[in-house]
Amino acid sequence: MNILVAGACGQLGREMREVAPLSGNRYFFADRKDEEGVERLDICDAGAVKEMLARHGINVLLNFVAYTDVEGAESDEAAAFKVNAEAPGMLAEICRETGVFLIHISTDFVFDGRSSLPYLETDEPSPLSVYGRTKLEGDRRILASGCDCLIFRTSWLYSRFGNNFIKKIRTLCGSHDSIKVVIDEIGNPTNAADLAGFIFDILEDGSFRGHRGLYNYSNEGVCSRYDLACAVRDIYGLDCAVRPCRGSEFPTKAVRPACSALDKSAVKRDFSIDIPNWRDSLEMLAVDEMLAVEN
């Protein structure tokens, strides 16, 4: 089976590149950035996408590309809409026409965060930001296309690669005696390595073919941004006071969901998987980084 990873230079794409050598399948990697082993591809260019799918005989397309600058999207809705909505819809139409299976990544930001319970896939979305609205439109266009697809909504993604909340907190704790972190934003931190590993496994065993539609996937357990920052400080042994505050102390252009925890019952049932707790996965990240330094 031939698999194309679009967005290979992002957090999830980089994690997929780490596990791909273990596969019996053939992986191809593409992105708009120049990196060794990665082909250039703009997923907004239908002709380029069709050419690459045909040239490599692609059976499965993993779309990890997204406009993820939540603040930037508020000022440039057109760019966010092009990448998050128009491009996924176009990819879905191409996949339907060519018989390619599409796996797409979405977000908890499609919800307004007003629920007191973790969100199910069947709950009505109500995004508060341009980022959330454009991602939701991408989901809808893919599902409406009729292509064979799986959409995984995830949240608070972090990894060894790229920029993310974990790295930001480590930097701040390493350079400040104390920091403030919001306590009124609650969700599921997700190690990109866990999500990449899950997608890798369902491709390897073929179980992806037996399912279609929308699923939630994030690490288990719920915490606030403040709780997560404290865990980062403690796990990495940093000497910094982390103080809770409300989001109103850090006004932003984009409104974020207050509580966007995701219910993973469906993905655990349908794919017979166990999902790690967020703190366990954060500790594993720290261990992996320490081993990498030693080697």
Side-chain angles (χ1 to χ4, degrees):
M1 188 165 62
N2 295 333
I3 301 164
L4 175 62
V5 180
C9 297
Q11 292 190 96
L12 191 55
R14 289 290 300 274
E15 293 291 358
M16 209 72 202
R17 287 159 64 185
E18 292 290 304
V19 295
L22 304 175
S23 176
N25 297 310
R26 294 181 67 201
Y27 276 83
F28 301 89
F29 301 98
D31 201 291
R32 293 186 67 178
K33 297 180 181 179
D34 286 317
E35 286 192 13
E36 184 178 355
V38 178
E39 299 182 62
R40 289 294 295 270
L41 177 67
D42 179 357
I43 66 159
C44 298
D45 184 338
V49 171
K50 290 178 181 178
E51 188 278 331
M52 187 169 287
L53 293 179
R55 176 159 46 88
H56 292 308
I58 297 300
N59 307 108
V60 180
L61 170 59
L62 309 184
N63 181 34
F64 296 163
V65 179
Y67 188 109
T68 57
D69 182 353
V70 178
E71 289 294 284
E74 295 296 314
S75 303
D76 196 354
E77 184 168 358
F81 191 84
K82 183 177 182 180
V83 175
N84 292 343
E86 290 181 353
M90 178 266 290
L91 291 178
E93 291 293 340
I94 293 173
C95 287
R96 180 181 58 79
E97 294 168 2
T98 57
V100 172
F101 196 104
L102 175 63
I103 296 180
H104 177 76
I105 304 301
S106 189
T107 175
D108 59 324
F109 271 53
V110 302
F111 298 112
D112 60 20
R114 296 189 177 99
S115 175
S116 59
L117 297 173
Y119 284 98
L120 296 164
E121 291 85 351
T122 52
D123 287 333
E124 186 66 26
S126 181
L128 302 174
S129 64
V130 169
Y131 170 66
R133 289 196 298 273
T134 57
K135 288 295 289 182
L136 176 59
E137 180 61 21
D139 295 353
R140 287 173 170 167
R141 292 188 181 201
I142 291 172
L143 295 172
S145 74
C147 75
D148 290 333
C149 66
L150 285 169
I151 300 173
F152 294 111
R153 283 180 178 156
T154 192
S155 61
W156 296 19
L157 206 64
Y158 67 87
S159 75
R160 295 169 289 170
F161 309 107
N163 298 316
N164 55 67
F165 183 81
I166 306 302
K167 288 188 175 181
K168 180 179 180 180
I169 293 300
R170 287 179 62 188
T171 298
L172 289 173
C173 284
S175 58
H176 293 74
D177 293 329
S178 69
I179 60 172
K180 288 184 176 181
V181 183
V182 297
I183 199 169
D184 53 358
E185 189 178 337
I186 297 169
N188 309 115
T190 305
N191 190 333
D194 291 332
L195 178 53
F198 162 66
I199 293 172
F200 177 84
D201 288 343
I202 65 174
L203 290 170
E204 287 297 296
D205 65 21
S207 59
F208 74 98
R209 295 193 182 280
H211 304 283
R212 302 290 185 277
L214 187 64
Y215 287 91
N216 295 331
Y217 184 101
S218 62
N219 280 132
E220 292 283 27
V222 176
C223 69
S224 69
R225 292 283 186 184
Y226 165 76
D227 295 324
L228 180 55
C230 289
V232 171
R233 177 200 59 194
D234 295 344
I235 289 170
Y236 284 92
L238 301 170
D239 185 15
C240 178
V242 180
R243 308 189 189 285
C245 69
R246 293 189 177 275
S248 56
E249 293 190 38
F250 296 99
T252 58
K253 294 179 181 178
V255 180
R256 288 154 171 78
C259 183
S260 60
L262 300 172
D263 186 300
K264 277 78 66 177
S265 300
V267 75
K268 290 189 291 185
R269 178 194 66 229
D270 289 356
F271 292 95
S272 301
I273 60 167
D274 293 320
I275 299 177
N277 179 271
W278 69 265
R279 189 176 180 100
D280 292 339
S281 282
L282 182 59
E283 290 175 348
M284 283 303 301
L285 174 69
V287 170
D288 288 344
E289 290 177 331
M290 285 187 286
L291 290 175
V293 170
E294 291 175 1
N295 294 328

